[in-house]
């Protein structure tokens, strides 16, 4: 990966082609690893244009998964000068199987690697809000990525401990 290309795009406040490709690969990899999809169509007007963009929207809708994500800086965000990953829509056919946690972990790793500072979940329903509270979200629907990453690690340790105690 050419980090100079990422740095140049960052200076321009644009998401460059390599970063756009990384976003696409992230979503494809997640869908392949979690659901076994080998072929999928990812929808993104920005990726089709094949030029640096201020923001990238990407969608994936298959029988087991429905995602709509946004990457970039946003005028409506609390921290307007910071890069956000926004989960605008998230749905899985089977709930409570760890897919949401796995996705957020992948987004945190991606965000750290490419300089995104916040992850926001847009308009979460009540089930999503309950899930978010388990992962450290409070009254706000966004968290710094490094804080979310730590919260996910703590959440997973607690779950492992519960399983261990149940088996004992």
């Amino acid at each position: 990966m050419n980090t100079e290309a990422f740095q140049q795009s960052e200076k321009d406040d644009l998401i460059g082609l390599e970063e756009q490709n990384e976003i696409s690969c992230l979503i494809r990899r997640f869908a392949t690893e979690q659901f076994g999809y080998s072929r999928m169509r990812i929808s993104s007007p920005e990726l089709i244009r094949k030029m640096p963009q201020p923001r990238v929207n990407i969608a994936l809708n298959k029988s087991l998964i429905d995602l709509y994500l946004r990457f970039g800086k946003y005028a409506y965000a609390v921290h307007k000068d910071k890069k956000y990953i926004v989960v605008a829509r998230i749905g899985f056919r089977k709930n409570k199987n760890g897919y949401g946690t796995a996705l957020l972990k992948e987004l945190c790793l991606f965000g750290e690697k490419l300089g995104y500072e916040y992850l926001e979940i847009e308009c979460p329903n009540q089930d999503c809000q309950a899930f978010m509270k388990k992962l450290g979200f409070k009254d706000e629907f966004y968290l710094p990525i490094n804080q979310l990453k730590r919260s996910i690690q703590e959440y997973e340790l607690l779950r492992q401990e519960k399983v261990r105690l149940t088996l004992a």
Side-chain angles (χ1 to χ4, degrees), residues 59-90:
L60 171 64
N61 189 326
K62 297 284 280 181
S63 62
L64 300 175
I65 182 174
D66 182 21
L67 291 179
Y68 183 69
L69 306 172
R70 293 196 293 264
F71 297 80
K73 293 181 181 179
Y74 294 93
Y76 67 81
V78 175
H79 305 282
K80 296 169 183 30
D81 61 330
K82 306 294 183 190
K83 289 172 70 175
Y84 275 72
I85 297 173
V86 178
V87 179
R89 190 174 63 234
I90 181 173

Side-chain angles (χ1 to χ4, degrees), residues 31-146:
T32 299
E33 290 173 2
Q34 295 293 322
F35 301 100
Y37 290 127
S38 59
R39 296 182 57 146
M40 66 202 82
R41 184 178 170 273
I42 291 179
S43 173
S44 174
E46 293 81 9
L47 295 179
I48 292 169
R49 290 186 192 116
K50 297 192 185 301
M51 56 189 296
Q53 303 288 327
R55 288 169 294 288
V56 172
N57 301 325
I58 191 163
L60 171 64
N61 189 326
K62 297 284 280 181
S63 62
L64 300 175
I65 182 174
D66 182 21
L67 291 179
Y68 183 69
L69 306 172
R70 293 196 293 264
F71 297 80
K73 293 181 181 179
Y74 294 93
Y76 67 81
V78 175
H79 305 282
K80 296 169 183 30
D81 61 330
K82 306 294 183 190
K83 289 172 70 175
Y84 275 72
I85 297 173
V86 178
V87 179
R89 190 174 63 234
I90 181 173
F92 304 106
R93 178 172 275 173
K94 295 180 183 177
N95 292 326
K96 301 191 185 284
N97 283 310
Y99 300 130
T101 304
L103 176 64
L104 293 182
K105 278 173 62 173
E106 289 296 320
L107 291 173
C108 284
L109 293 171
F110 177 85
E112 280 185 329
K113 179 175 147 186
L114 295 176
Y116 288 84
E117 295 190 46
Y118 291 92
L119 188 138
E120 178 176 341
I121 300 181
E122 191 175 84
C123 301
N125 62 29
Q126 286 187 332
D127 289 340
C128 186
Q129 287 180 34
F131 168 68
M132 289 168 62
K133 284 192 188 294
K134 292 177 188 177
L135 297 181
F137 288 86
K138 304 288 185 232
D139 296 328
E140 303 289 338
F141 296 148
Y142 69 93
L143 275 179
I145 285 179
N146 58 357

